[in-house]
Each structure stands twice: as C-alpha cells, then as structure tokens.
C-alpha cells in the first residue's frame, strides 16, 4: 500500500530523510528564486493577458503540488513565457481580454491541461511527447521568443496594438506608431538596456571588484527587482502615470483565492485542443530541463510520474486563480545553481511568494508595464537561437526543413499552426526517408565470411545468385518499394537462379510487408527463381512463423549469410557441372 | 527527343512491333470484355448517382488515353465500384442527385483527380500511395463492399432510401419498408440468385456437359447480359413498369459528348480533398492489379508513369461526359485471361462500347434498376473479405487494430472518414512501435566473435562493460527512450566503466537522436563512464562526422563489436591488475 502510494507521491521518499542541512540549502535557494520570481510572475501574467496577481497565484499552489507529486528535485514550476503566449492565443479566441470570461477561460485551460496531463500519466503515455522532434522544439521556441518579444513592443512604445502572428503584430505596430508615448519609451528602453547589461556584464564586473560569488549571483538575479524599484519610484515621484505611462495599478492584497474553472460544454470543447497542445509543449520543456538537472547529480526522473506532477500543478492553478504552468528553464536552473536539494525548496518559494502576495502588492501600484515588458523581452531573447538552422543544415536537410518550416509557420500563422505543422512535417519526412530504404547488393569479401556492398568493396559475386541487404525495417510505407526493387533486379539480370534477402538490419516486418514478401516469393516462383532469407532476427522470425510465408517460401532461411553463400553458390556449381 | 517522348508515351514502344497475331488476340479479348462492360458500366453509373450513359462514356475515352500513356499491357480502365461510391459520396455533398449540377460536379471531380494524378506523375510522387497500408486497403475495400451492397438494397426492394453510412442506410431502409414493391423485389431477388449461380456454378456445369473452355468462359461472362435481357423482356412484355417497377428509361443514342467540368472556385475547393482521396485509392487499386498481371509475364510497370496514364484517363472522362475512373480488378483480370497482349485490346473495347452507345441504348429502355443493382451486389460481395481480420489478428495486433478501425469507421462514419482514419492510425501505430525499440544487452558467445542477447544465450560478460545493441533506427520518436534507457542502466548498475552502443541495426540517426547521443555522452562523462560505438554503418558514420559528436565522444568508435570487447575488456583487466 505504502509502496503504491510512494510511486505516485515521491514526497514520501525524500521526505523521510529530510534533515537540517538539506533544509538550510533549500531555504537559501528559495530566497534567491523568490526574488527572481516576483517581477517575472507579474510580467508573464501581462503576457498571458491576465491581471498581474494571476502570475503570482500561478506560482504558489502549483509549486506545492509539484513538490508532492513530481520526481525532479530541482524543477521550479510556474508561469513560463511560451506557455503564457499560448494561453493568450488560446483564451483570446474565446473571450475578450480584461473581461471576467477571459480569466475564467484561463482557469479552464489550466484545468483541461491538468486533467489531460494526469490522464496521460495514469495511462503512462509520456512517449507521446516524443512526437515533437528536437529541431521542431528548437524552431518553435525560437519563433515563440521572437513573437513574444514583438508582442511586448507595444508596452515599450506605449501604444495599443494587436495580432497573434508576426505580420499582424508588425502591421498593427506600424499603424499605431503615431501614438507613441515618449516617456514610456524612455522607461522601456532604459529598463531593457539595463537588464541586458545586468545579464551580460554585471556578474563579471562584480567579481572583478572582489565581490564574493554568492553575493554577485544574488545581485545579478536581483537586477529585474532593481529595475522594478527604480522605474516604480520614478513614476510615483514624477507623477508619470498622469502623463500617459501605463502602470500595473491596484493589485488585490490576498492569498490565492479559491476559483472555479468554467464547465460549459462550449468552453470546454473550444479549449480542449489548445489545452492538449499546451500540455505537451509544457511537458516536453519541463522534462528536458528536469532530465538535464537530474543527470548532473546521477538522479533520475520518471517521465510518466512527471506528467502526474505537472498535471496536479495545473489543476492547482485552475482552482487558485492561476493559469497554465509548467517547469521553467530559467527558474529551475537558478534553483539548482542556488543549491536546492529537494522539492521543499519549491515549497519555501511558495511561502515567499504568498507573503509577497499579501504584503508587497501595494508597492507595485506605480510599476510601469514597460518595465515588465523589458523583463520579458530580455528573458525571451535568450531563447532565440537561430544557429539551429545552420546546425541542422549541415547535419541533414530533412531536419533543416522541419526547423525552417516550424519557424516560418509559427511566425507567419501563429503558435498553434506552427507547432502542429512542425510535428506533421517531421513525421512525413521520416516516413519519406524510410519509404526509400537503402538496399545494398552484397558480395563476399575474399578470404573472410563478411559480405559487403559490391559498389563500395572488391568482393566475390556469383551471376546466378543475387544477395540484397535491406537496411530498414519493412512496413507499409516501403513494402512496395522492395517489391519493385526485387522485380527490377531480377527482370534486368540474366541467368539469376536465386535471390537472398539479408535481413540483418530488418527490425520489423508488418502485415503489408509480409504480403509484399509473399508477392515477391510468388512472382519469383513463377519466374523459376528461388527466394531465400538470411540473418533474420529472433523477434522477426517469431512473427514470420505465425504466417504461412516460411512454409510457402520457394527457398530456405539461413542463419548466417555465409551459409547461404556456401549452399547456393555450391548448388549452382553442381548445376553447372551437370550441364 | 523520341526517347524522351517514349518515356511519357509507352505506345511508341509496343506500337512499333504490333503484328497480326497480337491483333487477333487483342480482338478476342476486346469482345469478351465489351460484353461484360455494358451492364457493368450502366450499373456503376447508377451507383455513382449518374444517368446510365455516363458509365459507358466513362469507359470510352479513358480506355484510349490509358492505352497511349499507361504502362500496363492488361489493365482495363473505367468506372469501378469503390470509386463510384466515393464519387456519389463526394458529389452528393455539393449537388442534388439528378440535377445538372450533379453531373457537372462529377466531371469536375474527374478533372481534379486527373490533374492531381498527372502532377503526381510528373513530380514522380507515386510513393505517397504507400501511406495506405495493405490492411487499411483490405479493410477499406471490404467495408466499401458492404456499404455498396447495402446501398443497392433500395433498388432491389423498390423503395427510396438515403444515407452514406451503414446505420443511416439501414435506418432509412427500415423506415421505408412499408413501400416495398413486390414485383421489383421478385425481379431483384431472382436476378441476384441467378447471377450468384452463374458466378459459382455455370462454368463447371458447362464443362461437365463437354462445352469447350473458351465458350464456357464467354457464356459465364455473359451471365449479366442474360439477366439484363431476360428482365428487360419481362418488364416490356408484361408492362411491369406501369406497376411500379423502376426502369432505366430513355438513354441518349450518342457517342460520348464533349463536356466541360465546372471551374468555379467554390466547386473546385469543395471537391479538391475528395478528388485527392479518389486519386490515391484508385491509383493504389490500379497499381496492385497492374503489378500482379505484369509479373505473370515477367513484365514491369512504372508506377510514376501509371500516374500519368490514369491521370490522362480521368482528364479524358472529365471532357467526355464521364466521371472518375481507374484500373478495375475484375475487368483487368478478364482482359488478361482472355488473352489481351497490348493496350490495343482496350482501344478495341472502346470501339465496341462506342457502337453500343450509338446502337444499343434504346434496347435498355425497359431494363429494371433492380437488375443493375443485382449486378452490383454480386460484383461487390466478392470484394468483401473479413478473413483479413483473422489473418492480421494472428500476425500482429497493430495491423489488426488498423484493419478493424478502418472497417468500423468506414461503415459507421462513411468512406472518407474511414480511409483517412485508417491511414492516420497505421502511421501512429508504426511510430508507437518504433518509439520503444528493442534494445538487447549483449555478451560474447564463448569461443566465437559473436555477440548475443544475454537474456537468450549463455555469454561472457564484464560487469564494468555494458554493451547495448540498438535494434532500430534512432530518430526523434525514440531518441528520448534511448536516453532514459542508458541512464537507467548506468544509474542502476555498479562499477560500470564503459558503455558500448552497438549500431549494427541503426540505419539512420536524425538530428534529435544526435542531440540525445550528445546528451548521453555528456551525462556519462559527468559520471566518469566512457561511451563507445561499434559497427556503425557507412552512411550513418558519414552523417555523424558532419557534427562534433565523434570529436567530443568520451570514448572510441570500433569497426567491429569484437574489437570493442578486446580493447575495453583488456583495458579493464589492466586496470584491475594495477590495483
């Protein structure tokens, strides 16, 4: 019973051995992460089109629930940039930003996403996330980073603009350029410049001045807080909000409220597909971060249990005024680097954020939106990495095509179309590649028992015996290819008496391929040519034996290719001698 | 120039060597096929919801165009049952049956289908047809056969009913059962019984009576003509059309007219997807028939040129009052068995049908629809083969799932949904299978240089050296699986110093898998474990060399697994000796 519980609640595992040292390490990590998260949570809420407190609420219950159900010891769960953008895109289709319906739709999205993740976890379907190839993810993240940064330009410029795709956004920005608020622009540009400088130069500068590493780190992490404080003070002291600078305004002083997602069938069905998409993208991002961090300490994470942990976190967000969350890259790395040992660090962060929600929210009244936009821009531009285009171009045109299509379609048609097309294109390209497998005609390397490609090596051959090595599993997409290939080879050749298919790299033969093999066998029989197999793997042979193919085979099955050569070459020699 | 032309017009090839013997063989085949095609063409037009002459027109120009551009010497092109059903389903969505718009939509469908096929052929994209796996095709044909037979029941019963799915059809038939016309039913049942008897028993009976084989064959093929003549005479002599028996009625006495498909954007976009579906299904059916027949004479067909041949045939149908056509199984086999040697047999058939269209159409005025329905039912029930369920169940659950889903969805939701789901399910099942590849831990078979699965064989192993043989190409769907597997093995093992990945069955490493290998390398390095590769194939190695992976590898690449064993086991031995 306890074992069963422990499988679904890893807290029962690490909780029993929790000690003072782990506690103090976790506490330090929590302080650093909390400082970083306060402005970030407000900013991502803005990106999702929600009131700022939603970002903080989305970081409290979810963190605690993930600490109970998740398997990664360093993952920090909460709002992240890409999921916030996806939320804005999905919720924007069913409700107007700023209305009560918008917030409810965001809760519903978190609820559906949480439910979907838990279901996937219970049925152990984590492998579905693998349909997102690395190049598609990289292309998608890069394009999303560009989209997100562009979407924040309106806050920096102090104008109102719209759009979910790059052309829409840019068009709308150009159309509203006459409305630019120059004070907002000054705040936005200086905050962005300052944050870029902090990110790139502050730490080395402090270290040069002799500041100890830990302090340098904390000061660097606190950069956004400094920008927040400085710009908030400027707005307050100079009364800039009366001169058109948009500010965060009133934020309720409250612990996360109890909230209910919407359960109307219309809303649920409209948000189902986006929720699935958000779940999968969030899961993939989260698992890759968790896996990387776990490996550094020779720990392991369980992807199926991660689904349950992230699902619980999203369900938590749905009932406490949040919106979809996942394990974020930046916050998790900070948590890990700051020395977090167990998920308790997350729980302490949650407490810190709860205190902030109750005590600090009045302080952000005069915080300009431009500063939050600057925080987002600096954070997401680090996600933009166009070098993936160059890397994949060098490695494989198919992968390059998938990346390029994902980037172009995400920018041009929006995040949902982009990622769906990316997945479809990767799958089609893979099927296309396997549809024309490499098949080598092989001969004997003299003096050995090895058989190699006759085009690449000097080998012995026998004109009456053709051996084809099939370098691919045989299934419906390439079954007919093999049929054509064998028939072409036999029709074009002269005096061929035997064909051997060498199956050393055939890992599967599905029913379509079985029928193709039967057709090949049948046709060769009609032509008076023998068909033989060699080096068939155990599992493939087991399966072939379930059909009549082996019984009907107009030839034999040889364990090793050399046995086939010995038997058929000799038989052929005897035939010649008899003539 | 001539060579180039000849590639696209195979007639230039066989036409040069055409002689008297081939002519007389082709002529005999043409007579037999023409007799068979007259009632069949009328019947399939009925199935497609078109006037009867459309079936004859669809058999004239297309046959001639295929004779010029096609590569199969025996394929007979014209209306077939499944494509007629698909036509009815597609055209029924844009126009009311019996209206002028309906006929124009059918022409447009043929036009789009022809254009699509020609384009596919010019770009040599025939491989796309491979996405239809054999089980999906078998399931689809079987379900279509059931749907078609059910759709004809209304003609046998003399009632009016509707529906595109089995539940709809059956529901509608039950609702109209009170309208049954008993004379029609009597004609329909006796025609059906007679045709089943002809198909099953006439030929053996005639042979027993000493009739020569050729005559027996022709008489058997003429069975439907006999049914047509007998029922037409009954209706005419007894005036049954006045007692509610529906008849074919007036059919224009004319050669195929010149017609124009509709070119309005609405119509084109509404019919584009069905046209693509019809093209692919028609192409697959046609190519498998053509391939089977070609193999019997050691001839070959060129699938890409077949696309052009079938495309030309459909374009021909579009401009001469027809509807989508393809190479039919029954008619092609009859043509082949009757001794057709070249596509000229098809051209002679076309002439026969043209004569019929001009001279014989008044004779079918009193032909009851019930007889045509009986012809269709008897023809399509031979397509229904539920044994595919049992065969795939025995061979592989994945293939069984694909067949069963295709059958159930085609019957339950219609032909288009059925075949699209079948393709999607096959692709997903294939990806699922490759997402969890077979990976065997191998050891040395004592006294040999062979390495085999440690679970299946008695082999030598070294606790410090783990060798994993990966039995699948590595790509995005299974990249993470390998990452997990290696990490699990190394985290769970004790004192592991080296891991060898044996790549003998790895035919591809895509960019995602490359990144996973890099991650594995990185993590093992962090753990102080070496990562080595063995038996990497030429093309895979070429590709890996384009990245930094081989340079960064925390270990070596061995040509043969035995080299890896010799080097790493020994190195390990020395390490032990040094302790």
């Amino acid at each position: 019973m306890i074992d069963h519980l422990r499988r679904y609640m890893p807290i029962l595992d690490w909780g029993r051995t929790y000690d003072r040292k782990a506690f103090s390490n976790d506490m330090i990590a929590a302080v650093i992460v909390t400082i970083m998260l306060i402005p970030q949570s407000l900013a991502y809420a803005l990106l999702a089109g929600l009131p700022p407190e939603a970002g903080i609420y989305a970081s409290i219950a979810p963190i605690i629930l993930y600490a109970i159900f998740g398997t990664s010891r360093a993952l920090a769960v909460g709002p992240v940039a890409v999921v916030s953008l996806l939320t804005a895109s999905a919720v924007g289709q069913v409700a107007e930003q700023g209305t009560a319906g918008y917030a409810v739709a965001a809760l519903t999205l978190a609820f559906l996403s949480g439910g979907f993740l838990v279901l996937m976890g219970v049925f152990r379907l984590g492998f579905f996330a693998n349909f997102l190839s690395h190049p598609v993810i990289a292309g998608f993240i890069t394009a999303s980073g560009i989209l997100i940064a562009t979407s924040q330009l309106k806050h920096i410029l102090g104008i109102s603009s719209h759009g979910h795709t790059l052309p829409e956004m840019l068009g709308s920005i150009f159309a509203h350029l006459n409305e630019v608020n120059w004070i907002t622009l000054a705040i936005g540009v200086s905050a962005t410049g300052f944050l870029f400088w902090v990110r790139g130069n502050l730490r080395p500068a402090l270290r040069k001045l002799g500041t100890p590493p830990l302090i340098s780190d904390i000061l660097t992490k606190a950069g956004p807080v400094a920008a927040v404080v400085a710009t908030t003070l400027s707005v307050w002291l100079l009364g800039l909000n009366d001169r058109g600078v948009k500010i965060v305004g009133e934020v309720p002083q409250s612990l996360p409220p109890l909230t209910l997602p919407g359960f109307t069938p219309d809303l649920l069905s409209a948000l189902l597909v986006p929720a699935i998409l958000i779940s999968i993208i969030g899961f993939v991002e989260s698992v890759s971060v968790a896996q990387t961090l776990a490996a550094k300490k020779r720990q392991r994470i369980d992807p199926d249990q991660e689904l349950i942990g992230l699902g619980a976190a999203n369900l938590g967000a749905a009932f406490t005024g949040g919106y979809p969350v996942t394990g974020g890259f930046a916050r998790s790395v900070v948590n890990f680097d700051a020395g977090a040992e167990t998920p308790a660090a997350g729980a302490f962060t949650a407490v810190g954020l709860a205190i902030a929600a109750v005590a600090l929210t009045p302080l952000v009244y005069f915080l300009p939106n431009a500063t939050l936009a600057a925080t987002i821009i600096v954070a997401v531009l680090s996600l933009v990495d166009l070098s993936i285009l160059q890397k994949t171009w060098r490695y494989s045109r198919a992968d390059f095509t998938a990346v390029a299509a994902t980037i172009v379609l995400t920018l041009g048609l929006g995040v949902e179309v982009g990622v769906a097309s990316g997945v479809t294109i990767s799958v089609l390209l893979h099927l296309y590649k396997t549809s024309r497998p490499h098949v080598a005609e092989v001969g004997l390397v003299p003096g050995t028992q090895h058989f190699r490609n006759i085009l690449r090596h000097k080998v012995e051959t026998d004109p009456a015996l053709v051996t084809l090595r099939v370098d691919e599993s045989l299934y419906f997409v390439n079954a007919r290819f093999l049929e054509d290939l064998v028939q072409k080879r036999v029709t074009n050749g002269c005096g061929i008496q035997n064909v051997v298919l060498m199956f050393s790299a055939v890992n599967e033969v599905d029913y379509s391929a079985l029928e193709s093999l039967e057709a090949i066998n049948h046709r060769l029989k009609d032509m008076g040519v023998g068909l033989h197999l060699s080096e068939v793997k155990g599992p493939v042979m087991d399966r072939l034996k379930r059909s009549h193919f082996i019984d009907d085979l107009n030839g034999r099955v040889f364990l090793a290719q050399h046995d086939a050569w010995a038997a058929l070459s000799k038989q052929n020699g005897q035939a010649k001698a008899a003539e």
Side-chain angles (χ1 to χ4, degrees), chain A residues 183 234-247 365-366:
Chain A
I183 304 176
S234 318
V235 172
W236 179 41
L237 296 176
L238 303 175
L240 299 179
N241 53 319
D242 295 332
R243 300 178 59 187
V245 174
K246 295 236 173 66
I247 55 173
Y365 183 89
F366 287 105

Side-chain angles (χ1 to χ4, degrees), chain A residues 89-95 105 108-109 112 262 264-276 416:
Chain A
S89 160
V91 174
Q93 281 161 26
V94 300
T108 311
L109 196 63
L112 286 171
T264 60
D266 276 1
L267 189 61
L268 291 175
S269 69
L271 292 176
L272 185 62
V273 173
I276 291 175
E416 288 163 12

Side-chain angles (χ1 to χ4, degrees), chain A residues 538-560:
Chain A
V540 173
M541 195 64 197
D542 291 349
R543 183 141 298 203
L544 288 178
K545 278 185 181 154
R546 295 198 206 163
S547 72
H548 295 294
F549 177 66
I550 300 293
D551 299 337
D552 297 344
L553 190 65
N554 181 32
R556 292 163 56 192
V557 178
F558 297 95
L559 271 184

Side-chain angles (χ1 to χ4, degrees), chain A residues 1-14 64-72 117-126 302-313 343:
Chain A
M1 176 62 201
I2 280 289
D3 272 353
H4 194 74
L5 251 185
R6 209 184 289 162
R7 175 172 149 200
Y8 284 109
M9 296 179 70
I11 192 176
L12 299 175
D13 236 354
W14 58 262
I64 295 175
L65 286 161
Y66 180 82
I68 298 172
F69 294 101
T71 58
S72 164
L117 287 165
V118 169
L119 276 181
M120 295 261 291
V122 168
F123 291 106
R124 311 194 84 67
L125 295 176
D302 171 357
D304 286 318
Q305 181 60 31
E306 280 301 285
L307 283 166
I308 293 177
L310 290 175

Side-chain angles (χ1 to χ4, degrees), chain A residues 143-163:
Chain A
S144 302
I146 296 173
L147 279 184
I148 293 170
T150 311
S151 77
Q152 297 307 303
L153 286 181
K154 63 177 176 190
H155 297 298
I156 301 278
L157 294 164
I159 62 178
S160 56
S161 71
H162 306 280

Side-chain angles (χ1 to χ4, degrees), chain A residues 31 39 88 101 114 153 184 203 299 335 364 442-443 445 500 563 579:
Chain A
V31 169
L153 286 181
T184 306
R203 202 172 172 285
Q299 292 162 351
N335 193 35
V364 299
V442 297
V445 181
V500 179
D563 300 345
E579 276 170 16

Side-chain angles (χ1 to χ4, degrees), chain A residues 287-343:
Chain A
V287 162
S288 37
V289 176
Q291 241 163 356
T292 308
L293 298 181
K296 294 201 179 181
K297 294 199 171 177
R298 266 201 173 197
Q299 292 162 351
R300 286 192 64 240
I301 60 153
D302 171 357
D304 286 318
Q305 181 60 31
E306 280 301 285
L307 283 166
I308 293 177
L310 290 175
N314 274 292
L315 290 176
F319 291 99
T320 59
Y323 70 98
V325 296
T326 192
F329 180 74
R331 62 178 66 192
S332 301
V333 171
V334 169
N335 193 35
F336 182 84
D337 286 346
E341 287 204 10
T342 73

Side-chain angles (χ1 to χ4, degrees), chain A residues 489-530:
Chain A
R489 181 67 187 83
V490 174
T491 325
N492 293 350
C494 271
I496 295 170
Q497 294 179 12
N498 288 292
V499 173
V500 179
L501 296 177
M502 187 174 162
F503 267 24
S504 44
V506 173
N507 303 309
E508 197 214 336
V509 172
D510 80 350
Y511 192 80
S512 303
L514 172 72
E515 292 200 333
S516 282
L517 288 175
E518 285 173 344
I520 292 170
N521 181 43
H522 193 74
R523 289 177 196 164
L524 291 184
K525 199 182 237 165
D526 283 355
M527 300 179 183
V529 176

